[in-house]
Amino acid sequence: MIQKEKGLSYADAGVDIDAGNALVDKIKPLVRSTRRPGADGEIGGFGGLFDLKAAGFTDPVLVAANDGVGTKLKVAIESGRHDTVGIDLVAMCVNDLVVQGAEPLFFLDYFATGKLDPEQGAAIIAGIAEGCRQAGCALIGGETAEMPGMYRDGDYDLAGFAVGAAERGQLLPTNDILEGDVILGLASSGLHSNGFSLVRRIVELSGLGWNDAAPFEAEHSLAEALLTPTRIYVKSVLSAIAGTHGIKALAHITGGGFPENIPRVLPSSYAAEINLDAVNVPPVFSWLAAQGGVAAEEMLRTFNCGIGMIAVVAAGQAAQVAAVLQKAGEQVEILGGVVPRRDKGVIYQGALAL
């Protein structure tokens, strides 16, 4: 029999409701900063609300996506830098929406930890709010779970859930992809949020610490450089879709790299011919390849290698689409084109400049 003068409390079991309430108070202004047409409520209800009519849609098809940040979180946890992984969380979801031609509308997060630290939690949610602002979607709710025994103190995990919409008949990819269509590549901001189990293994073998200067980016620590958040392409891509009507397909280059992601948006009878000489490879990828002895083929199926998204466009509109994307802040390269498929879904020309 348990003997205690006042009996056990939830706090005695390791769950601090007061800390949870303190976190909610800290993040309310962050949530308000993400308001947009269709969502102007406060967090705290049992569910978040969104008004499609107020957002300007007439006959919408909803598109949903969910994702996480992967073991990039271990770099954030071990280095004590928590303010950017929330951007990654949003990016990994909303980039998957926009490639289908959908405008991201709202976002919800799931934050699980062993012991809730309101300051750490607020830093994470601040990153999520920043990602939502970059994507133009509203943070309408989420869940914070304090689970002692499931996670060690300081450890946490994140999951994100995003919903977008497109008017019926305007979803991507289109059904008119043809031989000769041009493939454009949009530059990444770095590693994004894929391949970090391999990244962490290479860092371990290198003997470097998170606070050491990054060998490929000396003005930043290794942790700062590796935690560069995933680029959010939503506003620039939506601008190009609306302004040119020339984009036939888009692919978000995440886990699996070029060979796994590009064929997903092409008809089975076509392949992508990619000129690797046209890829501007950021120094972080060259360092990882050299330090870990990672072959170019393995780099291409693990990382984005400098291209975070590709667009398939009609040859006659490639210059127009590229110009709109560049005006919106994207670095764009012509990577290749669509060709008849004989074997693999991606055919390489040239060599990756690692």
Side-chain angles (χ1 to χ4, degrees):
M1 178 182 292
I2 297 173
Q3 302 225 343
K4 191 170 181 185
E5 185 177 337
K6 295 184 179 179
L8 287 171
S9 69
Y10 210 4
D12 292 325
V15 178
D16 190 342
I17 294 175
D18 291 334
N21 291 335
L23 176 59
V24 171
D25 288 339
K26 284 179 177 291
I27 67 175
K28 280 184 176 179
L30 299 171
V31 173
R32 291 190 199 106
S33 74
T34 70
R35 286 177 171 172
R36 54 150 293 156
D40 58 3
E42 291 278 355
I43 60 169
F46 287 98
L49 303 177
F50 193 91
D51 185 342
L52 283 166
K53 183 176 288 187
F57 288 90
T58 303
D59 185 20
V61 176
L62 295 179
V63 183
N66 71 292
D67 212 331
V69 184
T71 60
K72 189 173 187 177
L73 289 179
K74 291 293 288 182
V75 181
I77 292 166
E78 291 172 8
S79 66
R81 300 178 180 275
H82 310 287
D83 58 337
T84 59
V85 288
I87 301 174
D88 289 295
L89 184 67
V90 176
M92 296 302 288
C93 296
V94 297
N95 285 342
D96 279 355
L97 295 183
V98 78
V99 298
Q100 296 176 85
E103 175 190 348
L105 302 176
F106 60 86
F107 188 86
L108 300 99
D109 69 273
Y110 176 76
F111 168 39
T113 185
K115 182 174 178 57
L116 185 59
D117 177 345
E119 294 297 329
Q120 180 197 66
I124 294 166
I125 304 300
I128 293 174
E130 171 59 23
C132 287
R133 290 191 295 270
Q134 290 184 25
C137 64
L139 178 58
I140 66 169
E143 169 69 6
T144 300
E146 190 174 22
M147 298 190 289
M150 283 288 290
Y151 300 89
R152 293 179 300 179
D153 287 356
D155 280 356
Y156 60 86
D157 198 7
L158 297 173
F161 310 85
V163 173
E167 293 291 356
R168 195 174 305 276
Q170 295 182 10
L171 292 169
L172 297 177
T174 62
N175 60 4
D176 62 343
I177 294 174
L178 301 169
E179 180 181 357
D181 285 343
V182 171
I183 295 176
L184 302 177
L186 282 63
S188 69
S189 56
L191 290 169
H192 288 184
S193 294
N194 302 105
F196 268 82
S197 293
L198 177 56
V199 171
R200 290 168 45 245
R201 178 61 173 151
I202 292 171
V203 170
E204 180 185 349
L205 292 172
S206 76
L208 292 171
W210 298 126
N211 291 324
D212 292 335
F216 50 89
E217 198 174 307
E219 65 273 23
H220 293 109
S221 72
L222 184 58
E224 287 175 320
L226 294 178
L227 288 171
T228 299
T230 304
R231 185 165 182 82
I232 293 176
Y233 299 95
V234 169
K235 292 182 179 179
S236 59
V237 166
L238 288 177
S239 177
I241 290 173
T244 70
H245 301 288
I247 294 180
K248 296 185 176 186
L250 294 156
H252 185 199
I253 308 303
T254 56
F258 286 1
E260 298 295 331
N261 289 292
I262 299 177
R264 294 167 66 181
V265 301
L266 297 179
S268 60
S269 57
Y270 290 111
E273 187 172 73
I274 301 295
N275 176 16
L276 294 177
D277 292 330
V279 178
N280 184 16
V281 182
V284 60
F285 297 105
S286 299
W287 180 77
L288 289 168
Q291 188 69 40
V294 185
E297 184 178 358
E298 184 68 12
M299 292 293 294
L300 284 164
R301 67 191 293 261
T302 304
F303 302 110
N304 66 65
C305 294
I307 301 295
M309 185 166 289
I310 67 98
V312 179
V313 302
Q317 291 182 276
Q320 181 191 15
V321 172
V324 172
L325 288 169
Q326 288 166 339
K327 185 176 180 180
E330 302 297 344
Q331 181 180 328
V332 184
E333 302 291 345
I334 296 177
L335 294 185
V338 175
V339 298
R341 182 166 180 164
R342 296 181 178 85
D343 182 14
K344 296 180 179 180
V346 177
I347 303 163
Y348 298 120
Q349 304 291 336
L352 200 63
L354 291 171

